[in-house]
Amino acid sequence: MPQNSSARSWAGQACVSALLAFAPILSQAQAAPQNPPSPQAAASPTKQPRESDRRRAAKLYLAAGKLFMDEHFEDALHAYEQAAKLDPENVNFRLAADVARSHAVTALIQSAAKSRLRGDQAGARDALARALELDPGNVEATQHLYELGDEAASGQPTSLYEHTSTTVGDVVQLAPQAGLHSFHLHAGERQIVQQVFKAFGIDATTDDSIESTQVRFDIDDANFDGTARALALATNSFFVPLDAHHVLAARDTRTNRQQFTRLEMETVYLSGMKPEEMTEVSNLAKQVFGFQQAQLMASTGTITIRAPRDTMEAFNSTLRELIDGHSQVLLDVRLIQIAHTSEHNTGVTPPQTFSAFNVYAEEQSLLNTNQSLVQQIVSSGLAAPGDTLAILGILLASGQVSSSLFSNGVALFGGGLTASALSPGGATANFNLNSSDSRELDQIQLRVADGEPGTLKEGERYPIQTSSFSSLSASIPNIPGLTGAGASGSLSSLLSSLQGGVPSVPQVEYQDLGLTLKATANVMRDNDVALTIDMKITALAGTSINGNPILDNRAYSGVVTIKEGSAVVVASELDKSESRNISGTPGLSEIPGLNNITDKDVQKNYATLLIVITPHVIRGTQASGHTPMMRVERGTAPQ
């Protein structure tokens, strides 16, 4: 009882000390709001800001927006607040300051959580204190600060897993009387064993394997542990605790060890391990430590073993060192893709063709072709019978007669029957601009163990036919009632359609298109991260051979070592194409000054892909005093 009371008193003093350490910060977080302004102050007119202050506030607002986009939230908050002071009538300034304050507090809370995982309590406390300075009423920051106070009271970080817990039964421990004893005995082994244990207040029961052979046992001023070890060597025996004040002594042989040694049972939780790693742990228990009773449950991620206490302690210590030696890295991968397409089509395309014809022959052809219309024009009195030009004009003006030669105008030359004309082709003027820009940002986080690869795939799966087969034969045997017509005449047509062709079944293989990124992180001693990167980009080439598409592949492999938290551009891909098309008259388009009015069609396409990787070490190797990342449940096993 006194020991428990002192323990509770120490725990209470530690808790009070921890709360006193955090009292200044918590007092700021829970401080009462200031008194509201008086009605007279509220009724007083607000001073109008000057025009110069408005312009300065607008500049600060734009600068704060850039800081916010760069995730400098506290600097952006300061700029927004200055803009709100200069121009208090603009509500957007105050709203932007509130948004920046929220983002800044969230970033500080996340930084504090990361520091807690690393065991940096001071860094976590400073980050939370800064968050409460920005937002004194933030409940989440206050709660995290209370948790830090509880951890300071207990003297260690919050345990991710309980180290041990008794579930089946308590382990038997002897309770010998304290003190030093000296023995100078010369008697039988049984008598010496019983007399020595009796001196420490323990009753010893001897097995029949221990004989009454006379031995000499001499030891001076020894405690219980030293006396028990010396007695075991002198009598060639071992001792098994039955309860706190009773032991069983037997001859130290392999058979007796297997028969009398009390086995303990424990369940080790192998959280986060892959199936092959769990198999390696099972092989370690059976082949290295010789556990005959070790059962691995891959579905629950546990291994249950039964073994003596000393052997089990050695196994736990080895496994703990293997697990604690692995760090965990969070890879923040950002894929930035920028594509730009533009087309400029400007200028004039002059006539490229000219048609020459005889005017008299073309007139006679039109008149002979439309003789009925000519008679109607003459009979109606619209034109005289010999007035050829008037008749042609009426025919063309009525729209019932058309000729491509007269659509673009004509140029006459010559006279009489040899009068001829030139008809130019069409001319076009272009003033066209087509432009498109696309930006895509994908942010993916990979959590990998130290030395373990992580794979990221971004794209789609494209089906490709590799082969085809048919399990039906073209020749079908004649089976009456089935392949024959039978009693229904419609079966004949159905049979003929089946015999006409053999169905084939295609074999399809799916090919990954897009980006495949494989990254392996190794944490160095100075907390630098060595990244081994294997990247492959697969795309369709646009052509095919025998119906199978051709794939374009680009691959990159390399190793880079960077500081933890620093970003690196792993790959930059640039595709650029440009085409120019000039339409004009030969020779004329090459004359300086005239080539600018010639039609030009310029097309430009380019695409850029950037892959930015930022490693964050979220769990380093376990330092002294930290809770191991292994959970053990232990108890006595049924005998």
Side-chain angles (χ1 to χ4, degrees):
M1 290 300 294
Q3 294 180 357
N4 295 336
S5 299
S6 62
R8 287 195 298 268
S9 177
W10 175 88
Q13 294 176 2
C15 184
V16 171
S17 300
L19 292 178
L20 289 176
F22 291 97
I25 302 176
L26 294 177
S27 62
Q28 296 178 6
Q30 298 177 347
Q34 298 178 355
N35 295 328
S38 61
Q40 293 79 5
S44 61
T46 304
K47 182 179 179 181
Q48 296 293 330
R50 295 177 297 179
E51 188 64 27
S52 59
D53 293 338
R54 292 181 185 273
R55 290 195 297 269
R56 185 182 175 190
K59 292 181 180 179
L60 288 173
Y61 181 78
L62 294 177
K66 295 180 180 179
L67 293 173
F68 186 88
M69 294 300 295
D70 295 336
E71 298 183 358
H72 299 301
F73 301 120
E74 292 192 43
D75 297 336
L77 172 60
H78 182 67
Y80 283 136
E81 290 178 344
Q82 287 184 342
K85 290 180 180 179
L86 293 174
D87 188 2
E89 293 182 351
N90 196 324
V91 183
N92 295 329
F93 295 163
R94 294 195 300 271
L95 295 177
D98 293 338
V99 173
R101 180 181 294 103
S102 176
H103 280 74
V105 171
T106 301
L108 288 171
I109 293 176
Q110 292 176 353
S111 177
K114 184 178 178 181
S115 299
R116 287 183 61 190
L117 289 176
R118 293 179 175 177
D120 184 8
Q121 303 301 315
R125 183 169 59 253
D126 294 340
L128 292 175
R130 178 57 182 164
L132 288 175
E133 289 180 6
L134 298 178
D135 188 4
N138 191 280
V139 179
E140 187 176 359
T142 306
Q143 181 63 30
H144 280 278
L145 203 56
Y146 276 123
E147 293 177 1
L148 281 179
D150 295 338
E151 292 176 5
S154 61
Q156 60 181 5
T158 303
S159 300
L160 297 178
Y161 297 106
E162 291 293 338
H163 183 57
T164 58
S165 60
T166 302
T167 56
V168 181
D170 294 333
V171 179
V172 177
Q173 299 288 344
L174 287 176
Q177 295 177 358
L180 303 177
H181 294 271
S182 299
F183 299 95
H184 299 280
L185 304 174
H186 184 262
E189 294 179 349
R190 291 186 178 183
Q191 183 180 358
I192 292 177
V193 169
Q194 293 175 354
Q195 186 175 351
V196 170
F197 276 97
K198 190 67 175 178
F200 289 96
I202 297 176
D203 294 333
T205 302
T206 58
D207 184 65
D208 294 338
S209 58
I210 296 182
E211 303 175 354
S212 300
T213 306
Q214 297 290 321
V215 296
R216 183 178 295 277
F217 182 70
D218 296 303
I219 190 170
D220 292 324
D221 298 332
N223 58 10
F224 174 77
D225 293 334
T227 303
R229 287 194 296 268
L231 183 61
L233 294 175
T235 60
N236 190 23
S237 58
F238 70 99
F239 314 105
V240 179
L242 300 179
D243 55 31
H245 301 284
H246 294 82
V247 297
L248 172 65
R251 183 70 64 186
D252 192 0
T253 62
R254 182 175 182 180
T255 303
N256 288 341
R257 287 275 185 179
Q258 294 177 354
Q259 181 179 359
F260 296 113
T261 300
R262 183 182 297 273
L263 299 181
E264 295 184 7
M265 184 176 68
E266 72 176 17
T267 300
V268 182
Y269 289 80
L270 309 176
S271 303
M273 285 192 177
K274 295 182 292 187
E276 53 270 18
E277 293 177 341
M278 296 183 186
T279 304
E280 293 178 359
V281 173
S282 178
N283 295 335
L284 176 68
K286 295 179 180 179
Q287 300 176 8
V288 177
F289 290 91
F291 293 160
Q292 300 298 324
Q293 302 181 30
Q295 183 178 7
L296 176 65
M297 300 293 294
S299 59
T300 59
T302 61
I303 180 172
T304 304
I305 57 178
R306 294 180 60 186
R309 182 182 182 85
D310 296 340
T311 309
M312 193 173 294
E313 289 289 350
F315 170 75
N316 291 340
S317 177
T318 303
L319 183 59
R320 188 175 294 111
E321 290 181 0
L322 293 176
I323 295 178
D324 291 347
H326 287 268
S327 301
Q328 292 183 357
V329 181
L330 179 66
L331 298 179
D332 187 3
V333 183
R334 297 188 179 186
L335 306 178
I336 305 173
Q337 183 176 0
I338 302 175
H340 174 75
T341 302
S342 64
E343 179 181 0
H344 296 264
N345 188 1
T346 58
V348 178
T349 304
Q352 304 293 314
T353 59
F354 291 87
S355 300
F357 58 92
N358 184 268
V359 175
Y360 178 77
E362 189 66 22
E363 291 177 354
Q364 294 301 318
S365 176
L366 290 176
L367 294 175
N368 294 333
T369 305
N370 302 279
Q371 190 64 38
S372 59
L373 296 176
V374 172
Q375 293 178 0
Q376 293 178 8
I377 293 172
V378 173
S379 61
S380 61
L382 297 175
D387 194 353
T388 306
L389 293 178
I391 294 174
L392 287 176
I394 294 173
L395 289 175
L396 294 175
S398 63
Q400 299 183 9
V401 176
S402 62
S403 176
S404 60
L405 298 177
F406 302 102
S407 60
N408 297 324
V410 294
L412 299 175
F413 60 93
L417 295 177
T418 61
S420 301
L422 288 177
S423 176
T428 56
N430 299 315
F431 193 74
N432 185 23
L433 171 63
N434 293 324
S435 179
S436 65
D437 291 277
S438 64
R439 293 174 176 85
E440 182 178 358
L441 173 62
D442 292 337
Q443 184 174 2
I444 304 173
Q445 292 183 342
L446 295 178
R447 184 169 181 170
V448 297
D450 186 11
E452 295 293 333
T455 303
L456 167 65
K457 293 185 178 181
E458 181 79 10
E460 61 182 5
R461 304 192 69 191
Y462 186 79
I464 299 177
Q465 181 176 348
T466 57
S467 61
S468 62
F469 75 95
S470 175
S471 60
L472 300 178
S473 175
S475 58
I476 302 178
N478 185 14
I479 302 176
L482 179 62
T483 60
S488 176
S490 61
L491 294 178
S492 300
S493 59
L494 178 61
L495 179 62
S496 61
S497 63
L498 292 176
Q499 292 178 344
V502 179
S504 62
V505 179
Q507 297 293 311
V508 178
E509 176 183 354
Y510 285 89
Q511 176 68 36
D512 292 332
L513 299 181
L515 173 67
T516 302
L517 179 64
K518 183 178 180 181
T520 304
N522 294 277
V523 182
M524 316 299 288
R525 288 183 177 271
D526 56 354
N527 219 33
D528 290 351
V529 180
L531 287 177
T532 303
I533 300 169
D534 294 323
M535 185 190 69
K536 182 180 180 182
I537 300 177
T538 305
L540 296 175
T543 57
S544 60
I545 299 178
N546 296 329
N548 294 324
I550 298 177
L551 302 179
D552 283 340
N553 294 323
R554 297 182 182 182
Y556 167 80
S557 179
V559 181
V560 59
T561 302
I562 58 176
K563 292 289 184 181
E564 187 269 339
S566 301
V568 59
V569 179
V570 178
S572 175
E573 178 195 10
L574 178 62
D575 291 336
K576 184 177 182 180
S577 62
E578 181 176 350
S579 63
R580 294 176 177 269
N581 183 19
I582 300 177
S583 300
T585 304
L588 182 63
S589 301
E590 300 176 0
I591 300 175
L594 296 179
N595 52 3
N596 292 329
I597 62 175
T598 305
D599 181 60
K600 293 183 179 180
D601 189 0
V602 181
Q603 298 181 1
K604 295 181 180 180
N605 301 316
Y606 66 84
T608 304
L609 175 63
L610 300 179
I611 304 175
V612 183
I613 297 181
T614 305
H616 301 279
V617 180
I618 57 176
R619 179 178 179 268
T621 54
Q622 291 294 324
S624 176
H626 284 214
T627 301
M629 292 288 290
M630 186 178 77
R631 177 184 174 188
V632 178
E633 292 183 353
R634 176 179 295 172
T636 56
Q639 302 297 321

